[in-house]
Amino acid sequence: MTEAAELPPAPEQAREVFGDRFDDAVRYAELLAEAGVQRGLIGPREVPRLWERHLLNCAVLSEAVPEGVTVCDVGSGAGLPGIPLALVREDLNITLLEPLLRRTNFLTEVVELLGLDHVTVVRGRAEEVLGKLQPVHVVTARAVAPLDRLAAWGIPLLRPYGEMLALKGDTAEEELKASATALSKLGAVETSILHVGEGIVDPMSTVVRVEVGESPGGVRFAAKRAKAARTGRARRRR
């Protein structure tokens, strides 16, 4: 068994980013370094770089998220980027979507411990909750899958004219080019690459933004959503 490394002190940038929620951010970092490693949610080698590579890298995504919107963090895992985003943006209504029980248990514990009343944990896969969750303005994701596969999961959860924000690394431009046809079929009308976190993280966080039109997910998913809505209405009438 690999011995977990020690969590370094929070950098000064963390105080600036998390503000009044700084103490909660520290507690979350401690939970990731302890229970997160013990439960296999993050690797022990990630502990020394939890602040720069994970918490701050995710928190600066808030620069790209509009005010007061609904957000679904797909494949939330240990809560990245959903939890850091929730800590800096209490104006958002965030759903952490994760299929694995041990991860949703951890997420539920974190949400309760930190008093994140604007965050809901849902266990399930994106394709399973289609039509059950209310469509959202923004879908977020980080290191879940290649962009084309991630888009197939996330875009159908959007409301018309919503957007997917995917934290990516150096391959962002290549993935975006390779996924162009798939994104178009899913209803994407505009794509771009953003760099956020200037002066906070180095290098800055890279975000792929995919904006959709009136049919998120394309024709096939529009039919799925309509069927799910009809089923839901029928159940409510019983």
Side-chain angles (χ1 to χ4, degrees), residues 138-209:
V138 177
V139 162
T140 59
R142 177 181 187 249
V144 175
L147 186 60
D148 54 350
R149 202 185 318 161
L150 175 59
W153 296 336
I155 286 179
L157 299 176
L158 290 170
R159 57 185 290 167
Y161 308 104
E163 60 185 342
M164 183 178 76
L165 299 173
L167 280 162
K168 287 287 183 179
D170 297 336
T171 62
E173 196 166 338
E174 293 172 26
E175 285 195 55
L176 192 51
K177 287 179 181 177
S179 304
T181 300
L183 292 175
S184 179
K185 288 180 180 177
L186 287 165
V189 295
E190 191 168 337
T191 61
S192 55
I193 294 177
L194 313 175
H195 297 284
V196 295
E198 184 176 6
I200 298 168
V201 288
D202 185 19
M204 289 191 290
S205 299
T206 301
V207 181
V208 174
R209 170 183 270 158

Side-chain angles (χ1 to χ4, degrees), residues 11 13-14 17-18 50-61 84 200-201 205:
Q13 295 94 320
V17 170
F18 291 105
L50 267 179
W51 284 106
E52 287 82 2
R53 185 180 174 87
H54 298 287
L55 273 76
L56 289 173
N57 179 272
C58 290
V60 296
L61 179 62
I200 298 168
V201 288
S205 299

Side-chain angles (χ1 to χ4, degrees), residues 17-156:
V17 170
F18 291 105
D20 292 342
R21 284 284 197 168
F22 172 73
D23 289 342
D24 290 326
V26 171
R27 186 66 190 119
Y28 176 51
E30 292 170 348
L31 288 167
L32 286 174
E34 297 161 7
V37 172
Q38 291 164 8
R39 300 186 196 183
L41 304 182
I42 66 164
R45 292 181 181 177
E46 294 302 310
V47 173
R49 50 187 185 177
L50 267 179
W51 284 106
E52 287 82 2
R53 185 180 174 87
H54 298 287
L55 273 76
L56 289 173
N57 179 272
C58 290
V60 296
L61 179 62
S62 65
E63 295 176 20
V65 181
E67 287 187 19
V69 298
T70 52
V71 178
C72 183
D73 188 30
V74 174
S76 196
L80 301 164
I83 297 291
L85 184 60
L87 287 170
V88 298
R89 293 288 300 277
E90 294 190 27
D91 60 301
L92 304 176
N93 188 328
I94 300 177
T95 298
L96 306 179
L97 182 61
E98 169 56 47
L100 295 185
L101 180 61
R102 63 188 170 90
R103 292 176 181 171
T104 53
N105 285 342
F106 176 78
L107 292 173
T108 300
E109 291 167 18
V110 171
V111 167
E112 291 177 355
L113 183 66
L114 302 185
L116 298 175
D117 297 333
H118 58 306
V119 178
T120 303
V121 178
V122 173
R123 185 185 175 197
R125 299 182 185 281
E127 58 270 29
E128 295 170 347
V129 301
L130 187 64
K132 297 176 184 176
L133 287 183
Q134 285 292 320
V136 297
H137 297 90
V138 177
V139 162
T140 59
R142 177 181 187 249
V144 175
L147 186 60
D148 54 350
R149 202 185 318 161
L150 175 59
W153 296 336
I155 286 179

